[in-house]
Amino acid sequence: MPQATVHLLRHGEVHNPDRVLYGRLPEFHLSGLGQQMAGVLADHFAERAAQGAKIVHLAASPLARAQETARPIAGALNLEIATEARIIEAENYFEGLHVSKAELLKPKHWPKLCNPFRPSWGEPYKQQAARVMAAVQDARVRAVELGGDGAEAILVSHQLPIWATRLSAEGKPLWHDPRKRECTLTSLTSLVFDDAGTLVRVDYSEPAAALLAGASSTPGA
């Protein structure tokens, strides 16, 4: 099968004035800055397409912030947005809470903090990486069907599932310090496959880097 690239795109900044860990909660939409970020990504992909890139498939997590990030890209590339449930945000016990030190010190939460390697407070890292990689492989096949050799697909997802997938793809331990994830808002983690469907490298880029300075950094967002 011809070479293909699948870009895992993290969504843009979300309007979250209470700074809660919103996880899979509904009705968390892009902020004004997040919409600007999505526009920058649309321009980025449109420019690449004008230069000959064959970007032929676009899918997004069912959550509002991912769908809203995908919309300007869909318009710029004249693509439909497929909804891909396997790239949704990770499940998290602390969803809906402002996860402060004071909150974590409450005894009722302690049983959920006993195993950071799994982790005990949410969906296992291995499970996240497995479901996202399955979606990536299907997107790779679909891209090649539509565009042939060198085709590309975009999957709009969320920080933790993308980071777990990258760590797994690079053969690294999945346990990590959340503060050290290399996966900024609207960053691209690009998985490049050879003609046998084997992953040959992982690239990382930040097309909207100029907008990151004032962006929210709520963990898990």
CSV table of all heavy atoms in Angstrom, one decimal, residues 9-67:
chain,number,residue,atom,x,y,z
A,9,LEU,N,-4.4,16.1,15.1
A,9,LEU,CA,-4.5,17.6,15.3
A,9,LEU,C,-5.2,17.8,16.7
A,9,LEU,O,-6.4,17.4,16.8
A,9,LEU,CB,-5.2,18.3,14.2
A,9,LEU,CG,-5.7,19.7,14.4
A,9,LEU,CD1,-4.5,20.6,14.8
A,9,LEU,CD2,-6.5,20.2,13.2
A,10,ARG,N,-4.5,18.4,17.6
A,10,ARG,CA,-5.2,18.8,18.8
A,10,ARG,C,-6.1,20.0,18.6
A,10,ARG,O,-5.8,20.9,17.8
A,10,ARG,CB,-4.2,19.1,19.9
A,10,ARG,CG,-4.9,19.3,21.3
A,10,ARG,CD,-3.9,19.8,22.4
A,10,ARG,NE,-4.6,20.1,23.6
A,10,ARG,CZ,-4.1,20.8,24.6
A,10,ARG,NH1,-2.8,21.2,24.5
A,10,ARG,NH2,-4.8,21.1,25.7
A,11,HIS,N,-7.3,20.0,19.2
A,11,HIS,CA,-8.3,21.1,19.0
A,11,HIS,C,-7.7,22.4,19.5
A,11,HIS,O,-6.7,22.5,20.2
A,11,HIS,CB,-9.6,20.8,19.8
A,11,HIS,CG,-9.3,20.6,21.2
A,11,HIS,ND1,-9.2,21.7,22.1
A,11,HIS,CD2,-9.2,19.5,22.0
A,11,HIS,CE1,-9.0,21.3,23.3
A,11,HIS,NE2,-9.0,19.9,23.3
A,12,GLY,N,-8.4,23.5,19.2
A,12,GLY,CA,-8.0,24.8,19.7
A,12,GLY,C,-8.4,25.1,21.1
A,12,GLY,O,-9.1,24.3,21.8
A,13,GLU,N,-8.1,26.3,21.6
A,13,GLU,CA,-8.4,26.7,23.0
A,13,GLU,C,-9.9,26.7,23.2
A,13,GLU,O,-10.7,27.1,22.3
A,13,GLU,CB,-7.8,28.1,23.3
A,13,GLU,CG,-8.0,28.5,24.7
A,13,GLU,CD,-7.8,30.0,25.0
A,13,GLU,OE1,-8.4,30.8,24.3
A,13,GLU,OE2,-7.0,30.3,25.8
A,14,VAL,N,-10.3,26.3,24.4
A,14,VAL,CA,-11.7,26.2,24.7
A,14,VAL,C,-12.1,27.3,25.7
A,14,VAL,O,-11.3,27.8,26.6
A,14,VAL,CB,-12.0,24.8,25.4
A,14,VAL,CG1,-13.4,24.8,25.9
A,14,VAL,CG2,-11.7,23.8,24.4
A,15,HIS,N,-13.3,27.8,25.6
A,15,HIS,CA,-13.8,28.8,26.6
A,15,HIS,C,-14.1,28.1,27.9
A,15,HIS,O,-15.1,27.3,27.9
A,15,HIS,CB,-15.1,29.5,26.0
A,15,HIS,CG,-15.7,30.4,27.0
A,15,HIS,ND1,-15.1,31.6,27.3
A,15,HIS,CD2,-16.9,30.4,27.7
A,15,HIS,CE1,-15.8,32.3,28.2
A,15,HIS,NE2,-16.9,31.6,28.4
A,16,ASN,N,-13.3,28.3,28.9
A,16,ASN,CA,-13.4,27.6,30.1
A,16,ASN,C,-13.0,28.5,31.3
A,16,ASN,O,-12.0,28.3,32.0
A,16,ASN,CB,-12.4,26.4,30.0
A,16,ASN,CG,-12.5,25.5,31.3
A,16,ASN,OD1,-13.4,25.5,32.1
A,16,ASN,ND2,-11.4,24.7,31.5
A,17,PRO,N,-13.8,29.5,31.6
A,17,PRO,CA,-13.5,30.5,32.6
A,17,PRO,C,-13.3,29.9,34.0
A,17,PRO,O,-12.6,30.5,34.8
A,17,PRO,CB,-14.6,31.5,32.5
A,17,PRO,CG,-15.8,30.7,31.9
A,17,PRO,CD,-15.2,29.8,30.9
A,18,ASP,N,-14.0,28.8,34.3
A,18,ASP,CA,-13.9,28.2,35.6
A,18,ASP,C,-12.7,27.2,35.7
A,18,ASP,O,-12.4,26.7,36.8
A,18,ASP,CB,-15.2,27.4,36.0
A,18,ASP,CG,-16.3,28.4,36.1
A,18,ASP,OD1,-16.1,29.5,36.5
A,18,ASP,OD2,-17.5,28.0,35.8
A,19,ARG,N,-12.0,27.0,34.6
A,19,ARG,CA,-10.8,26.2,34.5
A,19,ARG,C,-11.0,24.8,35.1
A,19,ARG,O,-10.3,24.3,35.9
A,19,ARG,CB,-9.6,26.8,35.2
A,19,ARG,CG,-9.2,28.1,34.6
A,19,ARG,CD,-8.0,28.7,35.2
A,19,ARG,NE,-6.8,27.9,35.1
A,19,ARG,CZ,-6.0,27.7,34.0
A,19,ARG,NH1,-6.3,28.4,32.9
A,19,ARG,NH2,-5.0,27.0,34.0
A,20,VAL,N,-12.2,24.2,34.7
A,20,VAL,CA,-12.4,22.8,35.1
A,20,VAL,C,-11.8,21.8,34.1
A,20,VAL,O,-11.5,22.2,33.0
A,20,VAL,CB,-13.9,22.5,35.2
A,20,VAL,CG1,-14.6,23.5,36.2
A,20,VAL,CG2,-14.6,22.6,33.8
A,21,LEU,N,-11.6,20.6,34.6
A,21,LEU,CA,-11.2,19.6,33.7
A,21,LEU,C,-12.4,19.1,33.0
A,21,LEU,O,-13.2,18.3,33.6
A,21,LEU,CB,-10.4,18.5,34.4
A,21,LEU,CG,-9.6,17.5,33.6
A,21,LEU,CD1,-8.5,16.9,34.4
A,21,LEU,CD2,-10.5,16.4,33.0
A,22,TYR,N,-12.6,19.5,31.8
A,22,TYR,CA,-14.0,19.3,31.2
A,22,TYR,C,-14.1,17.9,30.5
A,22,TYR,O,-15.2,17.4,30.2
A,22,TYR,CB,-14.3,20.4,30.2
A,22,TYR,CG,-13.2,20.9,29.3
A,22,TYR,CD1,-12.7,20.2,28.2
A,22,TYR,CD2,-12.6,22.1,29.6
A,22,TYR,CE1,-11.7,20.7,27.4
A,22,TYR,CE2,-11.6,22.7,28.8
A,22,TYR,CZ,-11.2,21.9,27.7
A,22,TYR,OH,-10.2,22.4,27.0
A,23,GLY,N,-13.0,17.2,30.2
A,23,GLY,CA,-13.1,15.9,29.7
A,23,GLY,C,-14.1,15.7,28.6
A,23,GLY,O,-14.0,16.3,27.5
A,24,ARG,N,-15.0,14.8,28.8
A,24,ARG,CA,-16.0,14.5,27.8
A,24,ARG,C,-17.3,15.3,28.0
A,24,ARG,O,-18.4,15.0,27.3
A,24,ARG,CB,-16.3,13.0,27.7
A,24,ARG,CG,-15.1,12.2,27.3
A,24,ARG,CD,-15.5,10.7,27.3
A,24,ARG,NE,-14.4,9.9,26.8
A,24,ARG,CZ,-14.4,8.5,26.6
A,24,ARG,NH1,-15.6,7.9,26.9
A,24,ARG,NH2,-13.4,7.9,26.2
A,25,LEU,N,-17.3,16.2,28.9
A,25,LEU,CA,-18.6,17.0,29.1
A,25,LEU,C,-19.0,17.7,27.8
A,25,LEU,O,-18.1,18.2,27.1
A,25,LEU,CB,-18.3,18.0,30.2
A,25,LEU,CG,-18.1,17.4,31.6
A,25,LEU,CD1,-17.8,18.5,32.6
A,25,LEU,CD2,-19.3,16.7,32.1
A,26,PRO,N,-20.3,17.8,27.6
A,26,PRO,CA,-20.8,18.5,26.4
A,26,PRO,C,-20.7,20.1,26.6
A,26,PRO,O,-20.5,20.6,27.7
A,26,PRO,CB,-22.2,18.1,26.2
A,26,PRO,CG,-22.6,17.8,27.7
A,26,PRO,CD,-21.4,17.3,28.3
A,27,GLU,N,-20.9,20.8,25.5
A,27,GLU,CA,-21.1,22.2,25.5
A,27,GLU,C,-19.8,23.0,25.9
A,27,GLU,O,-20.0,24.1,26.4
A,27,GLU,CB,-22.3,22.6,26.3
A,27,GLU,CG,-23.6,22.0,25.8
A,27,GLU,CD,-23.9,22.2,24.4
A,27,GLU,OE1,-23.6,23.3,23.9
A,27,GLU,OE2,-24.4,21.3,23.7
A,28,PHE,N,-18.7,22.4,25.7
A,28,PHE,CA,-17.4,23.2,25.9
A,28,PHE,C,-16.9,23.6,24.5
A,28,PHE,O,-16.4,22.7,23.8
A,28,PHE,CB,-16.4,22.5,26.7
A,28,PHE,CG,-16.6,22.6,28.2
A,28,PHE,CD1,-17.4,21.7,28.9
A,28,PHE,CD2,-16.0,23.6,28.9
A,28,PHE,CE1,-17.7,21.8,30.2
A,28,PHE,CE2,-16.2,23.7,30.3
A,28,PHE,CZ,-17.0,22.9,30.9
A,29,HIS,N,-17.1,24.8,24.1
A,29,HIS,CA,-16.8,25.3,22.8
A,29,HIS,C,-15.5,26.1,22.7
A,29,HIS,O,-14.9,26.5,23.7
A,29,HIS,CB,-18.0,26.2,22.3
A,29,HIS,CG,-19.3,25.5,22.3
A,29,HIS,ND1,-19.7,24.7,21.3
A,29,HIS,CD2,-20.3,25.5,23.2
A,29,HIS,CE1,-20.9,24.2,21.6
A,29,HIS,NE2,-21.3,24.7,22.7
A,30,LEU,N,-15.0,26.2,21.5
A,30,LEU,CA,-13.8,27.0,21.3
A,30,LEU,C,-14.0,28.5,21.7
A,30,LEU,O,-15.1,29.0,21.5
A,30,LEU,CB,-13.4,27.0,19.8
A,30,LEU,CG,-13.0,25.7,19.1
A,30,LEU,CD1,-12.5,26.0,17.7
A,30,LEU,CD2,-11.8,25.1,19.9
A,31,SER,N,-13.0,29.0,22.3
A,31,SER,CA,-13.0,30.4,22.6
A,31,SER,C,-12.7,31.2,21.4
A,31,SER,O,-12.5,30.7,20.3
A,31,SER,CB,-11.8,30.7,23.6
A,31,SER,OG,-10.6,30.5,23.0
A,32,GLY,N,-12.7,32.5,21.5
A,32,GLY,CA,-12.4,33.4,20.3
A,32,GLY,C,-11.0,33.1,19.8
A,32,GLY,O,-10.7,33.0,18.6
A,33,LEU,N,-10.0,32.9,20.8
A,33,LEU,CA,-8.7,32.5,20.4
A,33,LEU,C,-8.6,31.2,19.7
A,33,LEU,O,-7.9,30.9,18.8
A,33,LEU,CB,-7.7,32.6,21.6
A,33,LEU,CG,-6.3,32.2,21.4
A,33,LEU,CD1,-5.6,33.2,20.4
A,33,LEU,CD2,-5.5,32.3,22.7
A,34,GLY,N,-9.4,30.2,20.3
A,34,GLY,CA,-9.5,28.9,19.7
A,34,GLY,C,-9.9,28.9,18.3
A,34,GLY,O,-9.5,28.2,17.4
A,35,GLN,N,-10.9,29.8,18.0
A,35,GLN,CA,-11.4,29.9,16.6
A,35,GLN,C,-10.3,30.5,15.7
A,35,GLN,O,-10.2,30.1,14.5
A,35,GLN,CB,-12.6,30.8,16.6
A,35,GLN,CG,-13.8,30.2,17.3
A,35,GLN,CD,-15.0,31.2,17.5
A,35,GLN,OE1,-15.0,32.2,16.9
A,35,GLN,NE2,-15.9,30.8,18.3
A,36,GLN,N,-9.5,31.4,16.2
A,36,GLN,CA,-8.4,32.0,15.4
A,36,GLN,C,-7.4,30.8,15.1
A,36,GLN,O,-6.9,30.8,14.0
A,36,GLN,CB,-7.7,33.1,16.2
A,36,GLN,CG,-8.5,34.4,16.4
A,36,GLN,CD,-7.7,35.4,17.1
A,36,GLN,OE1,-6.5,35.7,16.8
A,36,GLN,NE2,-8.3,36.0,18.2
A,37,MET,N,-7.1,30.0,16.1
A,37,MET,CA,-6.2,28.9,15.9
A,37,MET,C,-6.7,28.0,14.8
A,37,MET,O,-5.9,27.5,14.0
A,37,MET,CB,-6.0,28.1,17.2
A,37,MET,CG,-5.3,28.9,18.3
A,37,MET,SD,-5.3,27.9,19.9
A,37,MET,CE,-4.2,28.8,20.9
A,38,ALA,N,-8.0,27.7,14.9
A,38,ALA,CA,-8.6,26.8,13.9
A,38,ALA,C,-8.4,27.4,12.5
A,38,ALA,O,-8.1,26.7,11.5
A,38,ALA,CB,-10.0,26.5,14.2
A,39,GLY,N,-8.6,28.7,12.4
A,39,GLY,CA,-8.4,29.4,11.1
A,39,GLY,C,-7.0,29.3,10.6
A,39,GLY,O,-6.8,29.1,9.4
A,40,VAL,N,-6.0,29.5,11.5
A,40,VAL,CA,-4.6,29.3,11.1
A,40,VAL,C,-4.3,27.9,10.6
A,40,VAL,O,-3.6,27.8,9.6
A,40,VAL,CB,-3.7,29.6,12.3
A,40,VAL,CG1,-2.3,29.2,12.0
A,40,VAL,CG2,-3.8,31.1,12.7
A,41,LEU,N,-4.9,26.9,11.2
A,41,LEU,CA,-4.7,25.6,10.7
A,41,LEU,C,-5.3,25.3,9.4
A,41,LEU,O,-4.8,24.7,8.5
A,41,LEU,CB,-5.2,24.5,11.7
A,41,LEU,CG,-4.2,24.0,12.7
A,41,LEU,CD1,-3.1,23.2,12.0
A,41,LEU,CD2,-3.5,25.1,13.5
A,42,ALA,N,-6.5,25.9,9.2
A,42,ALA,CA,-7.2,25.9,7.9
A,42,ALA,C,-6.3,26.5,6.8
A,42,ALA,O,-6.1,25.9,5.7
A,42,ALA,CB,-8.5,26.5,7.9
A,43,ASP,N,-5.7,27.6,7.1
A,43,ASP,CA,-4.8,28.3,6.1
A,43,ASP,C,-3.6,27.4,5.9
A,43,ASP,O,-3.1,27.4,4.8
A,43,ASP,CB,-4.4,29.7,6.7
A,43,ASP,CG,-5.6,30.7,6.7
A,43,ASP,OD1,-6.6,30.4,6.0
A,43,ASP,OD2,-5.4,31.7,7.4
A,44,HIS,N,-3.1,26.8,7.0
A,44,HIS,CA,-1.9,26.0,6.8
A,44,HIS,C,-2.1,24.8,5.9
A,44,HIS,O,-1.3,24.6,5.0
A,44,HIS,CB,-1.5,25.5,8.2
A,44,HIS,CG,-0.5,24.4,8.2
A,44,HIS,ND1,0.9,24.6,8.0
A,44,HIS,CD2,-0.6,23.0,8.4
A,44,HIS,CE1,1.5,23.5,8.1
A,44,HIS,NE2,0.7,22.5,8.3
A,45,PHE,N,-3.2,24.2,6.1
A,45,PHE,CA,-3.5,23.0,5.2
A,45,PHE,C,-3.9,23.4,3.8
A,45,PHE,O,-3.5,22.8,2.8
A,45,PHE,CB,-4.6,22.1,5.8
A,45,PHE,CG,-4.2,21.3,7.0
A,45,PHE,CD1,-4.7,21.5,8.2
A,45,PHE,CD2,-3.2,20.3,6.8
A,45,PHE,CE1,-4.2,20.7,9.3
A,45,PHE,CE2,-2.8,19.5,7.8
A,45,PHE,CZ,-3.3,19.7,9.1
A,46,ALA,N,-4.6,24.6,3.7
A,46,ALA,CA,-4.9,25.1,2.3
A,46,ALA,C,-3.7,25.4,1.5
A,46,ALA,O,-3.6,25.1,0.3
A,46,ALA,CB,-5.8,26.3,2.4
A,47,GLU,N,-2.7,26.0,2.2
A,47,GLU,CA,-1.4,26.4,1.6
A,47,GLU,C,-0.7,25.1,1.1
A,47,GLU,O,-0.1,25.0,0.0
A,47,GLU,CB,-0.6,27.2,2.5
A,47,GLU,CG,0.8,27.6,1.9
A,47,GLU,CD,1.6,28.5,2.8
A,47,GLU,OE1,1.1,28.9,3.8
A,47,GLU,OE2,2.8,28.8,2.4
A,48,ARG,N,-0.7,24.1,2.0
A,48,ARG,CA,0.0,22.8,1.6
A,48,ARG,C,-0.7,22.2,0.5
A,48,ARG,O,-0.1,21.6,-0.4
A,48,ARG,CB,0.0,21.9,2.8
A,48,ARG,CG,1.0,22.4,3.9
A,48,ARG,CD,1.3,21.3,4.9
A,48,ARG,NE,1.9,20.2,4.2
A,48,ARG,CZ,1.4,19.0,4.1
A,48,ARG,NH1,0.2,18.7,4.5
A,48,ARG,NH2,2.1,18.0,3.4
A,49,ALA,N,-2.1,22.2,0.5
A,49,ALA,CA,-2.8,21.6,-0.6
A,49,ALA,C,-2.5,22.3,-1.9
A,49,ALA,O,-2.4,21.7,-3.0
A,49,ALA,CB,-4.3,21.6,-0.3
A,50,ALA,N,-2.4,23.7,-1.9
A,50,ALA,CA,-2.1,24.4,-3.1
A,50,ALA,C,-0.7,24.1,-3.6
A,50,ALA,O,-0.4,24.2,-4.8
A,50,ALA,CB,-2.2,25.9,-2.8
A,51,GLN,N,0.2,23.6,-2.7
A,51,GLN,CA,1.5,23.2,-3.1
A,51,GLN,C,1.6,21.8,-3.6
A,51,GLN,O,2.7,21.3,-3.9
A,51,GLN,CB,2.5,23.5,-2.0
A,51,GLN,CG,2.7,25.0,-1.6
A,51,GLN,CD,3.5,25.2,-0.4
A,51,GLN,OE1,3.8,24.3,0.4
A,51,GLN,NE2,3.8,26.5,-0.1
A,52,GLY,N,0.5,21.1,-3.6
A,52,GLY,CA,0.5,19.7,-4.1
A,52,GLY,C,0.2,18.6,-3.1
A,52,GLY,O,0.1,17.5,-3.4
A,53,ALA,N,0.0,19.0,-1.8
A,53,ALA,CA,-0.3,17.9,-0.8
A,53,ALA,C,-1.7,17.4,-1.0
A,53,ALA,O,-2.6,18.1,-1.3
A,53,ALA,CB,-0.2,18.5,0.6
A,54,LYS,N,-1.8,16.1,-0.9
A,54,LYS,CA,-3.0,15.4,-1.2
A,54,LYS,C,-3.7,15.1,0.1
A,54,LYS,O,-3.6,13.9,0.6
A,54,LYS,CB,-2.8,14.1,-2.0
A,54,LYS,CG,-2.3,14.4,-3.4
A,54,LYS,CD,-2.2,13.1,-4.3
A,54,LYS,CE,-1.1,12.2,-3.8
A,54,LYS,NZ,-1.0,11.0,-4.8
A,55,ILE,N,-4.4,16.1,0.7
A,55,ILE,CA,-5.1,15.9,1.9
A,55,ILE,C,-6.6,15.6,1.6
A,55,ILE,O,-7.3,16.4,1.2
A,55,ILE,CB,-5.0,17.2,2.8
A,55,ILE,CG1,-3.6,17.7,2.9
A,55,ILE,CG2,-5.6,17.0,4.2
A,55,ILE,CD1,-3.4,19.1,3.4
A,56,VAL,N,-6.9,14.3,1.8
A,56,VAL,CA,-8.2,13.8,1.2
A,56,VAL,C,-9.2,13.3,2.3
A,56,VAL,O,-10.3,13.0,1.9
A,56,VAL,CB,-7.8,12.7,0.2
A,56,VAL,CG1,-7.1,13.2,-1.0
A,56,VAL,CG2,-7.1,11.5,0.9
A,57,HIS,N,-8.8,13.2,3.5
A,57,HIS,CA,-9.8,12.7,4.5
A,57,HIS,C,-9.6,13.5,5.8
A,57,HIS,O,-8.5,13.8,6.3
A,57,HIS,CB,-9.4,11.2,4.8
A,57,HIS,CG,-10.3,10.6,5.8
A,57,HIS,ND1,-11.7,10.5,5.7
A,57,HIS,CD2,-10.0,10.0,7.0
A,57,HIS,CE1,-12.2,9.9,6.7
A,57,HIS,NE2,-11.2,9.6,7.6
A,58,LEU,N,-10.8,13.9,6.4
A,58,LEU,CA,-10.9,14.6,7.6
A,58,LEU,C,-11.9,14.0,8.6
A,58,LEU,O,-13.0,13.8,8.2
A,58,LEU,CB,-11.3,16.1,7.3
A,58,LEU,CG,-11.5,17.0,8.4
A,58,LEU,CD1,-10.3,17.2,9.3
A,58,LEU,CD2,-12.1,18.4,7.9
A,59,ALA,N,-11.4,13.8,9.8
A,59,ALA,CA,-12.4,13.3,10.8
A,59,ALA,C,-12.1,14.0,12.1
A,59,ALA,O,-11.0,14.5,12.3
A,59,ALA,CB,-12.2,11.8,11.0
A,60,ALA,N,-13.1,14.0,13.0
A,60,ALA,CA,-13.0,14.7,14.3
A,60,ALA,C,-13.7,13.9,15.4
A,60,ALA,O,-14.6,13.1,15.1
A,60,ALA,CB,-13.5,16.1,14.2
A,61,SER,N,-13.2,14.0,16.6
A,61,SER,CA,-13.8,13.5,17.8
A,61,SER,C,-15.3,14.1,17.8
A,61,SER,O,-15.5,15.2,17.3
A,61,SER,CB,-13.1,14.0,19.0
A,61,SER,OG,-13.9,14.0,20.1
A,62,PRO,N,-16.2,13.4,18.4
A,62,PRO,CA,-17.6,13.9,18.5
A,62,PRO,C,-17.7,15.1,19.4
A,62,PRO,O,-18.8,15.8,19.3
A,62,PRO,CB,-18.4,12.7,19.0
A,62,PRO,CG,-17.4,11.8,19.6
A,62,PRO,CD,-16.1,12.0,18.9
A,63,LEU,N,-16.7,15.5,20.2
A,63,LEU,CA,-16.9,16.6,21.1
A,63,LEU,C,-16.9,17.9,20.4
A,63,LEU,O,-16.2,18.1,19.4
A,63,LEU,CB,-15.8,16.5,22.2
A,63,LEU,CG,-15.9,15.3,23.1
A,63,LEU,CD1,-14.7,15.3,24.0
A,63,LEU,CD2,-17.2,15.3,23.9
A,64,ALA,N,-17.6,18.9,20.9
A,64,ALA,CA,-17.8,20.2,20.2
A,64,ALA,C,-16.5,20.8,19.8
A,64,ALA,O,-16.3,21.4,18.7
A,64,ALA,CB,-18.6,21.1,21.1
A,65,ARG,N,-15.5,20.9,20.7
A,65,ARG,CA,-14.3,21.6,20.5
A,65,ARG,C,-13.5,21.0,19.3
A,65,ARG,O,-12.8,21.7,18.6
A,65,ARG,CB,-13.4,21.6,21.7
A,65,ARG,CG,-13.0,20.3,22.3
A,65,ARG,CD,-12.5,20.5,23.7
A,65,ARG,NE,-11.9,19.3,24.4
A,65,ARG,CZ,-12.6,18.5,25.2
A,65,ARG,NH1,-13.9,18.7,25.3
A,65,ARG,NH2,-12.0,17.5,25.7
A,66,ALA,N,-13.6,19.7,19.1
A,66,ALA,CA,-12.9,19.1,18.0
A,66,ALA,C,-13.7,19.3,16.7
A,66,ALA,O,-13.1,19.6,15.7
A,66,ALA,CB,-12.8,17.6,18.2
A,67,GLN,N,-15.0,19.2,16.7
A,67,GLN,CA,-15.8,19.5,15.5
A,67,GLN,C,-15.6,20.9,15.1
A,67,GLN,O,-15.5,21.2,13.9
A,67,GLN,CB,-17.3,19.2,15.8
A,67,GLN,CG,-17.6,17.7,16.1
A,67,GLN,CD,-17.6,16.9,14.9
A,67,GLN,OE1,-18.1,17.4,13.8
A,67,GLN,NE2,-17.2,15.6,15.0
